[in-house]
Amino acid sequence: MHRLLKFFLIVLGAYVLLKLPGLFFGIPVPSSLVLLYLFFVAVVTLLVMTSTEASARSLFAPIVAIVEDPALVRRRNAIFAVLPVLAALVAYQVVLPDNEANIGFRAVHPAPPALMEAYGKSFDLTTLENPLRPVESTDPVRFARLVKEGGDIYYSNCLFCHGAKLDGRGHYAHALDPRPLTFQGVDTIAQLQESYVFWRIVKGGPGLPKQSGPWASSMPVWEAELSEEEVWKVILFIYDYTGNRPREWSR
Amino acid sequence: MNNFLKIALFGGLLILFFTLFSVYYVPDIGTDGSGKRAARVVLPIEEVGPVAYGEEVYYGRGGCAHCHDSAGGRAPLLDSVVALAPSRYGSAGYTGNATNVIGYLSESMTEPSVYVVDGYGTLLGKRIVSPMPDVSSGPISLDAVEIAAVIAYLQDMAGLEVTVEIPQAELSPDELLPVDIPKPASVTPKPIETEQSERKGP
Amino acid sequence: MGSSVNHSYSLLYNKRERVAFGGLWSSPASGALSLVLLLLTVLLFGLLTLPSAAYAVSSDGTSDTAASVTATAVTGDEGAKLKVPPTSFEAYEAQRASKKGRKKKGPPAPVLEAKDYPEVEGISPRVTVWLAAQMHLWFAAFVLAVPIFVLILEAIGMLTGDRRYDRTAYEFIRVSITAYSITAITGGLLLLSLIVFYPAVMGYMSSVFSSSMLGYGLLFFVESITLYIYYYGWGVMNDGGGLKRLHLLIGLLLNISGTALMFIANAWVTFMMSPAGVDKFGALKGGVFAAINNHLWHPMNLHRFVANIAYGGSIVGAYAAYKYLSSRTEASRAHYDWMGYTASFIAIGALLPIPFAGYWLTAEIYSYSQQMGITLMGGVFGWLFIVQAVLIGALFLAANYYLWCGMGRTEGGARYTRYIKYIAVVLVLSFLVWFTPHNLVLTATETSALGGQYHPWLKSLGLMPAKNTAVNIMVIFTYISFLLYRRAGKASTAPWAKQATAVEVGLFGAAIANILFLGVYYGYYTDNVYKVVSSVPQVLTTLVVIVGSLIIEWAIFRRSNTVGGFKWGRMPDRSQYALVLIAVSFTWLMGLMGFVRSAIRQNWHVYSIMKDASAEAYTPSIAYAARVVSVGTIIFMALIIFIFWLSSLGKRDEIEG
């Protein structure tokens, strides 16, 4: 195989390799990193290929031939016509306006306050527990009914953003930034105490603390819509549906 | 081409690459941009009250938010430290001698190792100590007023009533003795001056 | 080759060269200039040290509230009255005027206001001082470094009898004579700009350091004299015997005084970062040595000393590269190829320990002030280390490339070229880990796909254990490139050479496995305490494998035949650009890291003691700093080229002819 071709194949291969996680696992390597990675792969490949005299000469031979060989005049003209067009295309892509939001750093789970005022009383979030949780062990039949009621509340209120499967892919989800959180998996509600979830539901986006970075969360303040008991029931439901256990108090 | 020009061109392109990399690739974070920032004036505590003043100290001179911040994970978050304080100075691992919340907080700021939250200590010999510096000395050197104001801010952050007293008293010239910055038990009071401070919060 | 080199060698000492145009700079004229500058320096400091009007500015500085608000210290529950130190600047002044305060030796740091900073229309004080200081620092680093390895080269030359060393040494000391004058000029410029734009700061600094500044002047004098004797006495004292030894001794004295000079200047800089020996208000408590021997002094001394050697080597390498490319004879190509190799060897050799000196400095910064440390590593400047990683990676790649190309100096190198690509793969992988940031730059789409700021897979590469592992592996593989280069021209006659090589490969394999294990296991599967600690055994592993393989190599090739005819000068032209890259990257990197070191003080002149109240007290962004550093690098490079051009004028044809 020719060296120059090999060079392009190596760089292309690296590019494909870096794109695979995004395509197959939905976990893209950030484009800013891809750019940098590829740059250094290309540079080092060039260095290796020019480290001996023979290899360097054969690497550049086709380029030299294209520029100097009179027999290749057609190919030369074609290449010199295509290259500027390619450059123009790339430039066009770069300056094309898009609707990407500005880049910002944010914490997904900001720290809750110690005390919360809601429903005309004060909740101590450092010790608060779900009053309906004990039912799970004392009266399984009633617990199942509570979960069912929580499900009804969920599907008439939360579904539109958090999705029918509680995976954060509701009807409106794709228009929102930050995206509604999924409850599936082990790294969202499974990491949180029920009191934290209670706080997030009751106070919503506007209740987020200011030290937690730039927020534009569209989570409503459910205090106005749902009763205290309804919120606790929803919490029972989302843990039950996703098979997660709330985090216990350890501190 | 002349060798000299070639080398100069090569060097120039290299410098250009470094510059472009630093200017366009590296995100512009937290340095107040490249523009000029108007000198920030911290209002005296009498005008803004202890909570706002404490917040200024917390993000500014005290540098607390450098570590006690949800993004870094270097130190525990302080949102509920006021509520948790009784359980801490009541616990077995506690080595200080505070008996109330305010005492515990001011003690923790000047002697951070009396109670180290799980997972945040570093080993020093066989003892687990806190990596936090004493805020009343060294480059931070908060005085009693500032420490009290930070406590006020913490109480407010936890959603609790602000109960800390801001120290105030007369100083006669006789009391001005050339002593070094005192250790925890005696925190140096300092008048509140107009001063510049850089806010480094999230 | 020998005869032509010897011929040109003798020409080096002819009279024509000394009276040539270059003589304007490398002559007593520059000596006189330096002396005048020295005198000016001493005079200016003398003026500033007098208890002057610089402090008057503070008396009306602070606000009215200062005097009226007072306090008792209340801690815990008992409101006991405590003896407290003065709380305001006025009170402090009053106390100093009273009997008790008299034992303090120096004046306190003035509290500054915007009007204490003279303004000159259209000139930014910060950029002026910044560029002047940077320029002075680059030249000083060069001027300090060159005599160090000139001395080493001269000594090697005397011991081995190889005259190439002596000749190269002489060629460089001549360059450094001109650079010495420019160093003095930039130093004068720096001083002038500081006095013009920051008079109060200079007033305070000289009040603390007055005696050390006089010592600085004295050492400067000693350095100048020894330098001139060393340079002008080179030909006369080159008798190969007693006089040559005396000459070496003078060279040693020159280096000692130069290094001492740097140490004193370091003390001023580190005092501004980690003040010591002064009270809360900045007044000197006792002797000046307490202020000199501050927390960061020794880490800085070590870091700068090692970096200077690497820097000097890199500049000399670039010079050799240029001369190599413009050589027209075989002999001259051979000479400059050899010089480029030797210089880059010194540069890379000194580069390897710098990260560890840097760790020490950073650790000390952390232990002095957590706030300063975090500003440096995790705060505003966190991203700067990505820029640094890219530059250091470029240095490593250039060094490897130079060694790979160097295998072409002998036909025997062809036996090893096939290994290059494997080394390159490892280097690329380590390099990618080395500059992957923890906190990524993400677009909104990527953020929502990843569900947060951190990449689930790449986040672990952003942490210190991964970086330590990567850099150790990069060092080991660069070292393997070096070993292959050394083997290129040799074939061992020992019957057990194959087995010994196998042992060596095993050693490398074990070392790499150990480094990976330490990095991965202690970095990610244990708690915080071990994470940092694991970097020490990693470095030890690297050192052990380097020393171990050197011994084995020595044993294998103790009796060996040369293969393929090793020949200096048989290098492709493009390899020389690697040397240029090392010099340019080094210069730029020094500028950038110098900026950070200075900028982590944020809005303090003297950290925690003297606040910057000027309009430019804010911390500039990395992008802005990079632009200033680039401009500085270009000016510096232009000046360096000018110097080399000057010093070449007098001996235009000697090597070519």
Side-chain angles (χ1 to χ4, degrees), chain C residues 140-189:
Chain C
F142 180 64
V143 160
L144 287 178
V146 167
I148 293 175
F149 63 75
V150 161
L151 185 71
I152 297 171
L153 288 179
E154 195 191 0
I156 296 174
M158 198 178 89
L159 292 175
T160 60
D162 186 345
R163 301 201 105 188
R164 281 183 304 184
Y165 288 101
D166 206 66
R167 185 184 139 193
T168 309
Y170 183 73
E171 203 169 333
F172 276 101
I173 202 69
R174 173 174 46 199
V175 171
S176 105
I177 282 271
T178 318
Y180 190 72
S181 311
I182 300 209
T183 310
I185 293 170
T186 51
L189 270 179

Side-chain angles (χ1 to χ4, degrees), chain C residues 3-53:
Chain C
S3 70
S4 78
V5 169
N6 282 346
H7 172 62
S8 53
Y9 181 73
S10 60
L11 272 176
L12 267 172
Y13 299 109
N14 70 11
K15 275 187 180 166
R16 182 165 64 93
E17 173 262 318
R18 286 195 206 156
V19 291
F21 179 66
L24 177 66
W25 291 89
S26 52
S27 77
S30 75
L33 187 67
S34 309
L35 278 180
V36 169
L37 276 170
L38 168 76
L39 280 177
L40 264 178
T41 316
V42 173
L43 258 176
L44 278 169
F45 280 135
L47 282 175
L48 282 166
T49 351
L50 297 172
S52 64

Side-chain angles (χ1 to χ4, degrees), chain C residues 312-335:
Chain C
S314 76
I315 294 280
V316 171
Y319 169 75
Y322 169 64
K323 296 297 273 187
Y324 179 87
L325 290 177
S326 19
S327 291
R328 267 159 293 175
T329 62
E330 281 285 305
S332 144
R333 271 173 88 87
H335 175 68

Side-chain angles (χ1 to χ4, degrees), chain A residues 18-19 21-22 25-33 36-38 40-41 43-57 60 100-108 176-177 179 181, chain C residues 383 386 390 394 397-398 401 404-406 417 420-421 424-425 427-428 431-433 435-437 439-453 455-458 461 571-574:
Chain A
L18 288 169
K19 281 290 174 189
F25 303 102
I27 306 173
V29 178
S31 52
S32 59
L33 271 186
L36 203 57
Y37 284 176
L38 277 187
F40 281 103
V41 167
V43 165
V44 176
T45 313
L46 261 185
L47 292 185
V48 173
M49 288 186 164
T50 59
S51 61
T52 62
E53 200 54 51
S55 142
R57 220 173 292 127
F60 295 120
E100 275 278 312
N102 284 340
I103 292 162
F105 295 94
R106 71 163 68 94
V108 180
L176 303 177
D177 181 25
R179 296 273 291 273
L181 218 56
Chain C
W383 262 88
I386 301 300
V390 167
L397 284 182
Y401 186 61
W404 297 340
C405 289
T417 45
I420 290 176
K421 50 181 175 291
V425 168
L427 282 178
V428 165
F431 196 12
L432 298 191
V433 171
F435 65 66
T436 299
N439 220 348
L440 299 162
V441 180
L442 298 173
T443 62
T445 343
E446 285 162 355
T447 315
S448 63
L450 297 177
Q453 193 58 50
H455 195 284
W457 302 340
L458 296 177
L461 299 185
M571 280 286 264
D573 281 1
R574 58 180 180 279

Side-chain angles (χ1 to χ4, degrees), chain C residues 133-446:
Chain C
Q134 194 58 64
M135 220 48 79
H136 181 57
L137 206 102
W138 276 323
F139 274 108
F142 180 64
V143 160
L144 287 178
V146 167
I148 293 175
F149 63 75
V150 161
L151 185 71
I152 297 171
L153 288 179
E154 195 191 0
I156 296 174
M158 198 178 89
L159 292 175
T160 60
D162 186 345
R163 301 201 105 188
R164 281 183 304 184
Y165 288 101
D166 206 66
R167 185 184 139 193
T168 309
Y170 183 73
E171 203 169 333
F172 276 101
I173 202 69
R174 173 174 46 199
V175 171
S176 105
I177 282 271
T178 318
Y180 190 72
S181 311
I182 300 209
T183 310
I185 293 170
T186 51
L189 270 179
L190 172 62
L191 183 64
L192 200 71
S193 53
L194 277 172
I195 289 170
V196 167
F197 291 115
Y198 297 93
V201 182
M202 282 309 278
Y204 171 65
M205 287 298 285
S206 52
S207 80
V208 174
F209 284 107
S210 51
S211 49
S212 79
M213 280 170 175
L214 287 174
Y216 188 82
L218 195 72
L219 277 170
F220 188 65
F221 193 71
V222 174
E223 195 195 6
S224 308
I225 289 186
T226 46
L227 178 64
Y228 289 120
I229 298 176
Y230 190 60
Y231 172 61
Y232 289 107
W234 199 291
V236 183
M237 296 165 93
N238 203 5
D239 64 348
L243 270 176
K244 189 68 177 169
R245 290 212 184 87
L246 182 66
H247 192 246
L248 275 173
L249 193 71
I250 293 169
L252 188 67
L253 203 63
L254 163 66
N255 277 308
I256 291 173
S257 55
T259 308
L261 267 182
M262 182 184 74
F263 282 9
I264 294 180
N266 287 351
W268 306 337
V269 173
T270 50
F271 174 81
M272 292 171 81
M273 296 174 73
S274 61
V278 292
D279 66 11
K280 196 183 172 187
F281 288 87
L284 199 59
K285 281 193 286 200
V288 70
F289 187 71
I292 291 176
N293 190 18
N294 59 61
H295 207 76
L296 298 178
W297 190 42
H298 281 309
M300 176 86 112
N301 285 343
L302 179 76
H303 197 311
R304 278 192 168 171
F305 182 73
V306 182
N308 277 353
I309 297 176
Y311 185 56
S314 76
I315 294 280
V316 171
Y319 169 75
Y322 169 64
K323 296 297 273 187
Y324 179 87
L325 290 177
S326 19
S327 291
R328 267 159 293 175
T329 62
E330 281 285 305
S332 144
R333 271 173 88 87
H335 175 68
Y336 287 113
D337 186 20
W338 172 84
M339 184 195 279
Y341 173 77
T342 311
S344 67
F345 184 81
I346 293 173
I348 301 299
L351 174 69
L352 295 183
I354 292 180
F356 306 117
Y359 277 138
W360 187 32
L361 179 61
T362 314
E364 290 298 318
I365 289 176
Y366 254 104
S367 78
Y368 177 73
S369 159
Q370 189 103 344
Q371 189 171 7
M372 218 188 225
I374 288 168
T375 308
L376 177 69
M377 297 299 292
V380 180
F381 296 116
W383 262 88
L384 192 123
F385 285 86
I386 301 300
V387 181
Q388 191 210 22
V390 167
L391 269 112
I392 290 183
L395 286 175
F396 269 103
L397 284 182
N400 275 288
Y401 186 61
Y402 187 74
L403 288 171
W404 297 340
C405 289
M407 288 186 202
R409 287 192 185 113
T410 156
E411 300 297 335
R415 292 174 297 161
Y416 294 105
T417 45
R418 66 201 157 98
Y419 296 116
I420 290 176
K421 50 181 175 291
Y422 304 113
I423 295 178
V425 168
V426 177
L427 282 178
V428 165
L429 288 178
S430 324
F431 196 12
L432 298 191
V433 171
W434 172 240
F435 65 66
T436 299
H438 187 219
N439 220 348
L440 299 162
V441 180
L442 298 173
T443 62
T445 343
E446 285 162 355

